[in-house]
Each structure stands twice: as structure tokens, then as C-alpha cells.
Amino acid sequence: MLSRALGARAILRATATATTTRRLAVATPRMTRPIVRLQHTSKPVSAQVFKPLDTFPRRHIGPGAAEKEAMLKEVGVKDIDELLAKAIPAAIRSPKPLALAEGMPERDLLKRLKSIAEKNKVYRSYIGMGYTDTVVPNVILRNVLENPAWYTQYTPYQPEISQGRLESLLNFQTMVADMTGLPFANASLLDEGTAAAEAMLMCWQTGRRNKNTFVVDENCHPQTIACLKTRAESFKINVVVADVFNYNFTENKKNLSGVLLQYPNTRGTVHDYEALTATVHAAGGQVAVATDLMALAMLKSPGEFGADIALGNSQRFGVPLGFGGPHAAFFACKEDQKRRMPGRIIGVSKDAEGNPALRLALQTREQHIRREKATSNICTAQALLANMSAMYAVYHGPEGIKAIAERIHGMTGVLAQGIRDSGYAIENDGAFFDTLSVKVDSSAAIIQKALEKEINLRAINNNTVSITLDETVGQQDVVDLLQVFAKDSSSVNLEQVVANAAGATQSNVPVQLQRTSAYLQHPIFNSHRSETEMMRYIHHLQSKDLSLVHSMIPLGSCTMKLNATTEMVPVTWSEFSNIHPFAPSDQTEGYKIMLEELEKDLEEITGFDAASLQPNSGAQGEYAGLRAIGAYHAARGEGHRNVCLIPISAHGTNPASAAMAGMDVVIVKCDDDGKLDVKDLKAKVEKNKDKLAAIMITYPSTYGMFEPGVVEACDIVHKNGGQVYMDGANLNAQIGLTKPAEIGADVCHMNLHKTFCIPHGGGGPGMGPIACKSHLAPYLPGHPIVPTGGQNAIGPVSAAPYGSASILPISWSYIKLMGREGMTDATKAALLNANYMRSRLEGHYDILYTNDSGMCGHEFIVDIRPFVPKGIEAIDIAKRLQDYGFHSPTMSFPVTNTLMVEPTESESKVELDRFCDAMIAIRKEIEDVVSGKVPKDNNVLKNSPHSLEVMMSDKWDKPYPRELAAFPVPHLRANKFWPTVSRVDDAYGDRNLMCTCPSPEEYLE
Ligand SMILES: Cc1ncc(COP(=O)(O)O)c(C=O)c1O
């Protein structure tokens, strides 16, 4: 067969080259494309011949010239300039084009970035401090981290088409619960430092917000202590850094809300905290333990010694170091604390057929519902990395994890013996897992000797160095380390050291701390040992989830645009991914160049003077920006300014971040047209003018409009002593046409995982850097280990100095590939795509909040409220869209029972039309309900989505044909995405909360 096929191909090739005109007839499953004739004309050779053909903007921007022409016609404008003039108020248009470089072709870009990356030096880093090298199983690297079917997914708000990642995140929770010995875990936080800050707040809330002392052991990681202090300031929590074994909890119990311990601690010591935990409990405090999942494979779990909360970084479970991130922080607590838990939680519920189905649980704690009263401001977390860590546990299983932990521990024991043999004292001898703190004459001298071998160690002080071993370490690495400590490096005899270590009687984990309890017993962690099984499991889960590999995800406010392969490739280059966040600066020159260039480009795009790349989500950016505003006021003797005005239409993270920054939230109304109610704004400003700190505005607004009143609103706030924070989630509608600084903002965050092409990863990672005017620059966040930020920097808002640094090459690449013109063209295309869809849907649905010229910005809102009295709600359309192969637009935000559509510039007209056709077909289905032609409660909308199981069942008692349910439009026959469960019952899941993997028996029940 193969030779016949090859023969046919050869004949085809010969025929094609024999003629100068070729016919290309390409049939796609979706449609038949028109026949295209390629004319070969001979042109005179010139220098033009060297012009590269791999230019990028035409790959990033969906519609081509002919498509744009047709779309402009549909919108009713003669050209794009007319559209822009009608959509954007003239007063805010930028006077000058963007001063960015020309766009680079794809191959040139990769060459340039490689030459920058090669300026990083990839040394072996045994620095520890919560970041430890790991062997990322290639089956996970290729099939999860480098796989668009995983990294382009959205947060699983539509559970019926997200069961794969929900299962994987449930595995993550189960793994965390098992390892920590605590029953209840979430599906990741942003990093260990901020997870510790969340724990502190949880303890404070438990103490009803009036016990203001939180004790932190002095041997917690320094960046964790710094993050805690930053967060504590706004709540006036008194962080006491102390030696917990010498702190008098009983005497200080009156104000004690809790204590943070590190296990093993930052110097590697494994302490027995059981008695201490009892003392803290007796004093009325809670115990939070920052810990290490790998160490817990050998150590008694925090839950077993009585801890209330356990948290940490799951990075060493199969996620690259990445110069600090992205990695998934984990967080677990006792049952009675679950409603105070920050972040996303996955729970088990059931679908309409009574089958088990997973979903996001207890959402009523979260910012998008509870706003300033939420348990945290977390929206984007670290889902993709949590999935990687969960897969690592699935791949290795309990015996594999134990073997890895024992190997690391065993090698550390050998190293300890050799160091002892060389005459050094080990501070934590006999009580370590993977980290040794060694007393030396000069830390600098030892560090230098190690550097000569391309090894990084940590200097704890002038006379103590620490070494943290990891899974990548082998025999030669141990020999190299022994040579660093040997008086005479040629005398190192590993065999002898091993023999001495074996002869040593002392155990390196105190007996009472050795783990005896089992973990990872669920079948999911015991069934996928061969790579074949693992590959199939990953693929099995992936095939349940709809992502950008299937169809457009038109989520308003989320900008689900292309995450191009060329942008993604550098993320896993070793020069970016294998760097410790605290590596010496001469090893991170490449990062420095890339980060500085990115900062400069972001400053140009926003019109601001300075930027910070530290915040690792949009919400963290909001927090950082508001804290910088607070510090600015305080520096001018106006520290009492603490009122933050927030329009009613704002995203939930805005009020939640303002509350976290210690501000009082005052809501500003919007008028009936969706515009900021300037009258109400003036009244609220007048009422609060002595205390006015800031206003947070999203632009274009979350109603999808460029509000003409924005400049006036900024003016009013400035005149009354406030600052303007711009939520930059909608920056995709501004680039090249207007700038936050020109509009009047003082600071804004950018969601790099929206506008700047970092993929959403099924709920993270993200990056939310901030840019600001020069007067706020001194307050940009600092860091205790790597100097960052302004002269009067606020404390760190992330554990790592540059947040999730290893995904920043994505945004750097996007800007460089698109260049000045491409970036602006992308914005124009985003506006055109949105207005085209608006125009196509307008006759079928009411579109809310267009401007005076009838235009929307980069997104628009479809009003479903007129159908509600007839029984059809936004959720019914969202679920029915799944039958048509689409992810729903944003549902009921910012207005209940609406759908907010944002197509982005990356979707072609063909795809926009497919979506519009689906919406129009659904409108007819709605009409059948509205007119009473079909039953109100038993129709194709109410019963959607229709899973394969429902469709294939022998029982079919629905009052419409199967065909209509599954194939409402013809192209679905060739390309159908099947929801794997039918509509998920949210209420049942919250009533019967289960947040770890159910046993197979429970599944069957
Ligand atoms: C308008 C707006 N602001 C802020 C955020 C928060 O960003 P993140 O999810 O990165 O925390 C979002 C996220 O969707 C958003 O849409």
C-alpha cells in the first residue's frame, strides 16, 4: 500500500512540475474550498529575493485582505479607518504610531532569542530555598507542557467540555491531600510565598480578624517571610519573626492568630513540631506548615503531627525551575476550614443522567461572586503546572516517588559523610532530608570553588553554606561536591565515603519523624507505569476537553487568541527553563536582556515610564499597583487615603484586590447605556474626597465600549487627590491606537495571558506585570534576594523576583514578531472581528451597550434577558453551543443572563461565520420555545449538552430527533466534538462536597 501511495504521489509531483499552472483543490472536512490557480510569472532577480517569507502578522491575524473587505461591508463602513473613527473617541487616539521595531520573521526571531538565551549559564543549582531541579518526564513535557490541546484550554467553567483537566486537577488535590495528611486541598495557588500569605490570612480570619499576631519561624525561606510581611501590612497584622522553639506562645496568646513553620526548614533541618503544634493550639493559634512534597514521601506528614494548614511549591514534582516559575503552589487544610480556602477547588458532582461529573466547587467563596468579601483575589492560578505535577505522581506512583525521595536522601547522606570526613561540621546532622548546612571558614571561598565546577551553592551567612540535592543529581555530581569540600580534591574516594556512610549508625531522619503512613493509594496513581499507558492516559484526558485546537473560544474579557508555536518553543529551552531564580546574576545575563527589552516594549505600548515584571497574575498586578499607590500617598503624608472607587461592572478581582490592599471599596454606578455614571462618580468623589486613594477602571469597559467619559473621570479623580488604576485586561483593544497613560491612568497591569499571547493553560499560568508613571516608579515591588523595583519599593508580591519568568519569552516573541505595524494591525483586526460578529448577530439578538455610532469595541454583549420569562437562560445557550462544538462566550458577566463575545484578531472569517451560524441556528431553537412550539422544560436547549452516552442510549424519549440534538448543522457530521458528560448539577456538588478522587466503588454507586 505504502509503495502504491508513494508512486501516486510521485506521479502527481511530476504532473505538477510539468505545467506552469497548478490546480489545488483541497477538500476540508468543514467545507469545500474554491479551486485556486497559482500563476507562475517570471520576475527579474533583485535583492528582494532575499526577503524572508516567514513573516508573522499574517499568521497571527485571522482574516486576510479579501475577508476583511467583506467584513467591513457587513459592518457598513468603507474602510478600517472609518470603523476606528466610529468605535474609538477621537480624544483618546494616540497622536503618534508605536515606536516599536519592525516585525521579525519567525526563523530570525528564534535565532536572535537563542543568541540571547545562550548568554544564560546553565549551572547545576543546589541552592534549594523551595526551588529544586527535577527530571521532567518527557512524556509529560511533550504531551502536556508542549501540547496546545493542554496549554490552550480555558479555566474549566464549562465542566461538560473540561472533564479531562478537571480529573487531572482532582488528581493534584488528591496527591496534595495524601502527601500532606490533610483532607482538603485546592487546585493550586500562585507560588509558595503568596500561599503562605494566604495561610496567614486564613488564620487571621479564623481568629475573627482581631488576633493580630502571626509568628513566623526565622528559618522559613526568606522570600516567603518577605511576601508575608508585604501582605500583612494592609491588614495591620503584626508578623513576628522568631525562633519558634524559644517563643513564649502561652504568654503571648492573647493576640495570636497563628504560626508558620517550614518543614524541613530553609537550612534543611527536620524538626519535630508535634509538641510545638500542641502548644500553639493551646494558645488559641493555628499552625501552618510550608513543606516539600518530596520530603513528605519520607517524613511524617503535617496532618499527622496536628498542623491545620500545609502549603508549598510542587515544582520539584516534574516542573522546570524556569528562573522562578511558573510552578503550582499547593495548599491543604482541615475539613472545618474548607470554606475559608483560597483559590479554585475541584469537586465531584453528578450530571443530568446521574453519572459522576467534576466541576469547580464552592465558587461562592471566590472573587467573581463575593468580590471584596472573597477568601482571596485569585482568578488565574497555575492549572497547567498543577496538571504536570499531578501527572508526575500518576507516572511514578507511590513506589516511584518513594524511590526518588530515598535516592535523593541517600545521596545526601553520602555527601554528608564525605563532608564530615573532610573535617567540616554539619549544622543539621542526623536531621535532614536533602539539604545540608555546613559550617565553613569562609562561605565565599567555598561558593567560589563550587562555581569553578559550575555548581551553585547557597551562602546562608559568612560561615555557613547549604547544599540541596535533587532528582537530577548523579554520582559525578556528588564527587564534584565532595571535591569542593575536600582539602585535596584528588583524594576524594567515593567508594570509601559510601562505605563510611553505610557504616554510620545514625539515621538522618529522626525515628519519630519517619513516615509510616501510605500515600497515593488510589488506582489512578497505580496504573500508568509504562510510557504507552501514560501517553494514552494524557491523551484520554485531553480528548475530553475543548481547547483552541478545536474551535474559537470567544470568551469576553479573556482574549483567547493564538498562542503561536514559535512563541512557545523557547519556553522549554534549557537556557530558560533550567535556571534557579536565585542564580548569581552573571549566569542570567540572557534573561536580563530579554526582560529589559520586554519591559521597554510594554512601557512603549502603555505609554508609561517604568514597569515591574513581578506580579504573576492579573489580580496580583492589581494588588501590586494599588499597594504602589498606597505607598505613594503615604510618602506624601496622605496615608489616610484608602477609598477605592470601583465601577459596578468591574471584574471581581478589582474589589478583591482593593480589599487585600487594605482599601475600602466604594461602588460607582453605570448608566442604562453601560457607561460610567459620571454624576454618581462625582457624588462618590465628593463624599470621599479626603480619603480618596484611587479609582480602578477597565478600558475599554467590561461592557465592551470605549467610553467617551473616561478622560473626564480620570480628571475628576486626579483633581481630588486620587490616582487612576487601569485594569489592562482589555488592552488588546488599545495597542497602537491609544495608551493607558495618554487616557489618564497612573498605573495599569497587563494580562500577558490575554493580550500578549501567553496561553491560559486551563486556568494558569499567567503574568500580570504592571507599568506606571514616573511618580509611582519608586514604589514598584522589591525582592529580598534579587534586587528589583524602585528606591522605596513595596515588599515582594511574588516569591520570585520576575514572577513566572520562563513564560515571558512568549510575550517578548509576540511583540518582536508582530512589530510596530503588526501590533497595531492586530488591534484593528480585533475591533473588526468583534464588530463583524456584532453586525451578523444584531438582527437575531439584542446587543447591549453599543456606542452612539452603533459600534462595540473588541467585544460585545448578547442580551439573553428577553428570553428569561419564557424559560431560556444564558446557561442554556452556553450548554447548547457545546453541541455545536463551541465553548460558550463569557456567561453572565458583567450583566446576569448575557453572553459576552470576544473573538480576538486571530480568528478567520470562516470561523467567525461558523460561530455566528451556530448562534443564529440556536436563535431559531429559542424561538420554538418562546412560541410554545416545543415544551418549555424539555427541549433541545434545556437538555443540552447531549453527550455521546445520551445519544447512543437505547432509550430516547426526548420530543425531538437525535439528529437535531447532535448534528444541528451539517459540518458537525465531519467534525464533531462530544461533551463527555451531560449538564452538570452544580448545587448537588456543593451539597455533597467531595474534593479528592472518589474510589472506584464510589464511582459505581
Ligand atoms: C477585566 C479583568 N480584570 C482582571 C482579571 C484578573 O486576571 P487574572 O485572572 O490573571 O488574575 C481578569 C481575568 O479574567 C479580567 O477579565
Side-chain angles (χ1 to χ4, degrees), residues 631-786:
Y632 165 77
H633 286 313
R636 301 166 75 237
E638 307 222 316
H640 59 279
R641 289 190 174 269
N642 73 335
V643 166
C644 187
L645 303 177
I646 301 183
I648 183 84
S649 60
H651 191 262
T653 52
N654 288 193
S657 299
M660 223 167 84
M663 294 185 176
D664 290 339
V665 174
V666 173
I667 299 298
V668 181
K669 289 187 208 153
C670 288
D671 63 22
D672 291 345
D673 298 331
K675 294 180 193 130
L676 194 68
D677 182 337
V678 178
K679 214 167 127 211
D680 190 50
L681 172 70
K682 283 182 179 158
K684 300 278 164 64
V685 166
E686 183 56 33
K687 188 161 172 223
N688 296 287
K689 68 178 175 206
D690 296 335
K691 291 186 292 175
L692 184 62
I695 185 168
M696 295 183 91
I697 32 182
T698 307
Y699 204 72
S701 75
T702 51
Y703 290 136
M705 262 189 318
F706 289 94
E707 296 185 31
V710 66
V711 177
E712 189 191 353
C714 295
D715 245 25
I716 295 170
V717 171
H718 281 142
K719 283 196 180 120
N720 287 279
Q723 293 279 292
V724 176
Y725 183 94
M726 186 173 283
D727 178 328
N730 289 346
L731 199 61
N732 209 46
Q734 290 192 36
I735 297 179
L737 304 178
T738 180
K739 295 181 179 181
E742 291 169 358
I743 294 167
D746 299 288
V747 51
C748 84
H749 79 262
M750 288 147 276
N751 290 64
L752 298 190
H753 46 300
K754 297 172 192 255
T755 316
F756 297 93
C757 296
I758 290 176
H760 279 66
M767 271 297 282
I770 53 174
C772 63
K773 288 193 174 151
S774 57
H775 64 281
L776 293 177
Y779 311 103
L780 290 175
H783 194 274
I785 317 288
V786 179

Side-chain angles (χ1 to χ4, degrees), residues 229-309:
K229 285 184 172 168
T230 310
R231 194 73 75 84
E233 279 161 8
S234 324
F235 298 101
K236 310 232 171 346
I237 296 174
N238 178 24
V239 173
V240 178
V241 181
D243 169 1
V244 282
F245 289 108
N246 285 314
Y247 185 82
N248 194 332
F249 288 99
T250 317
E251 222 166 69
N252 294 298
K253 70 184 205 184
K254 191 159 162 269
N255 284 321
L256 181 72
S257 61
V259 55
L260 180 73
L261 310 169
Q262 188 104 37
Y263 177 66
N265 74 18
T266 195
R267 301 165 88 110
T269 311
V270 182
H271 283 299
D272 185 347
Y273 289 128
E274 191 149 353
L276 181 77
T277 301
T279 307
V280 174
H281 284 160
Q286 302 256 309
V287 174
V289 178
T291 186
D292 167 11
L293 294 178
M294 191 62 83
L296 294 182
M298 294 189 67
L299 302 181
K300 188 173 186 172
S301 69
E304 288 170 295
F305 65 70
D308 302 279
I309 299 168

Side-chain angles (χ1 to χ4, degrees), residues 263-557:
Y263 177 66
N265 74 18
T266 195
R267 301 165 88 110
T269 311
V270 182
H271 283 299
D272 185 347
Y273 289 128
E274 191 149 353
L276 181 77
T277 301
T279 307
V280 174
H281 284 160
Q286 302 256 309
V287 174
V289 178
T291 186
D292 167 11
L293 294 178
M294 191 62 83
L296 294 182
M298 294 189 67
L299 302 181
K300 188 173 186 172
S301 69
E304 288 170 295
F305 65 70
D308 302 279
I309 299 168
L311 59 101
N313 185 0
S314 63
Q315 174 265 317
R316 76 187 300 177
F317 268 36
V319 180
L321 287 166
F323 198 37
H327 315 131
F330 61 87
F331 196 98
C333 67
K334 288 182 173 165
E335 183 74 27
D336 57 356
Q337 293 279 24
K338 64 191 176 204
R339 284 175 203 278
R340 291 207 174 91
M341 176 81 98
R344 313 263 182 216
I345 301 168
I346 312 304
V348 184
S349 185
K350 59 175 190 174
D351 74 358
E353 308 300 310
N355 294 321
L358 309 177
R359 58 184 269 285
L360 292 168
L362 295 184
Q363 290 192 48
T364 44
R365 301 160 301 119
E366 292 190 44
Q367 43 70 30
H368 63 104
I369 295 177
R370 285 208 86 200
R371 304 177 78 81
E372 66 269 26
K373 296 199 174 63
T375 53
S376 81
N377 67 342
I378 291 189
C379 178
T380 291
Q382 302 279 16
L384 184 69
L385 303 316
N387 284 328
M388 285 184 76
S389 288
M391 288 296 183
Y392 179 91
V394 168
Y395 183 61
H396 287 298
E399 75 289 352
I401 298 287
K402 186 156 181 249
I404 295 168
E406 285 180 346
R407 181 172 176 272
I408 295 170
H409 182 63
M411 289 189 296
T412 314
V414 170
L415 181 64
Q417 183 66 44
I419 288 174
R420 253 182 252 127
D421 292 349
S422 291
Y424 292 97
I426 295 170
E427 181 185 280
N428 54 338
D429 221 348
F432 60 79
F433 166 62
D434 64 355
T435 299
L436 305 174
S437 282
V438 185
K439 293 285 169 208
V440 295
D441 293 337
S442 156
S443 295
I446 292 284
I447 299 272
Q448 185 50 40
K449 252 179 112 179
L451 283 172
E452 283 157 20
K453 290 184 175 294
E454 304 199 340
I455 289 177
N456 294 320
L457 302 181
R458 174 184 178 198
I460 289 186
N461 55 37
N462 289 345
N463 305 102
T464 316
V465 293
S466 76
I467 315 150
T468 300
L469 297 195
D470 62 60
E471 190 193 353
T472 66
V473 170
Q475 189 167 319
Q476 188 55 47
D477 303 310
V478 174
V479 171
D480 288 348
L481 283 167
L482 291 175
Q483 286 176 348
V484 168
F485 286 91
K487 304 274 170 319
D488 166 12
S489 63
S490 64
S491 69
V492 168
N493 178 345
L494 188 66
E495 260 175 52
Q496 187 57 52
V497 178
V498 172
N500 293 349
T505 49
Q506 198 184 20
S507 161
N508 290 316
V509 174
V511 178
Q512 78 279 16
L513 293 181
Q514 290 173 10
R515 182 152 190 158
T516 52
S517 58
Y519 46 82
L520 305 180
Q521 296 300 292
H522 191 276
I524 206 71
F525 301 110
N526 292 280
S527 322
H528 302 92
R529 289 299 163 271
S530 74
E531 181 162 330
T532 308
E533 288 295 344
M534 191 66 202
M535 175 184 71
R536 286 184 190 149
Y537 180 60
I538 292 171
H539 192 269
H540 167 65
L541 294 194
Q542 149 194 334
S543 65
K544 295 180 177 195
D545 288 8
L546 188 136
S547 67
L548 285 178
V549 305
H550 298 99
S551 53
M552 73 185 291
I553 300 186
L555 281 162
S557 195

Side-chain angles (χ1 to χ4, degrees), residues 157-158 160-161 546 554-555 841 844-847 860-892 895-901 914-930 936 939-946 965 968 979 983:
Y157 282 123
Q158 295 292 332
E160 299 84 1
I161 48 173
L546 188 136
L555 281 162
L841 293 179
H844 306 275
Y845 294 90
D846 291 348
I847 307 297
F860 62 95
I861 297 177
V862 180
D863 197 357
I864 309 302
R865 291 173 303 178
F867 310 124
V868 173
K870 301 288 179 184
I872 297 298
E873 297 178 78
I875 192 169
D876 300 316
I877 299 166
K879 302 301 174 191
R880 182 61 175 150
L881 274 167
Q882 296 178 9
D883 287 335
Y884 284 77
F886 286 107
H887 192 290
S888 162
T890 301
M891 212 173 71
S892 291
V895 182
T896 309
N897 266 312
T898 60
L899 296 172
M900 181 161 55
V901 179
R914 259 182 9 102
F915 183 83
C916 290
D917 292 345
M919 286 294 286
I920 292 165
I922 290 174
R923 179 65 187 84
K924 292 201 184 93
E925 294 170 359
I926 297 172
E927 196 50 39
D928 287 347
V929 181
V930 169
K936 193 172 157 185
N939 56 60
V940 79
L941 286 145
K942 281 284 170 206
N943 295 333
S944 63
H946 296 83
R983 199 175 295 194

Side-chain angles (χ1 to χ4, degrees), residues 1-15:
M1 276 306 284
L2 186 64
S3 64
R4 265 193 25 220
L6 282 176
R9 230 181 282 155
I11 293 166
L12 242 169
R13 215 181 303 130
T15 326

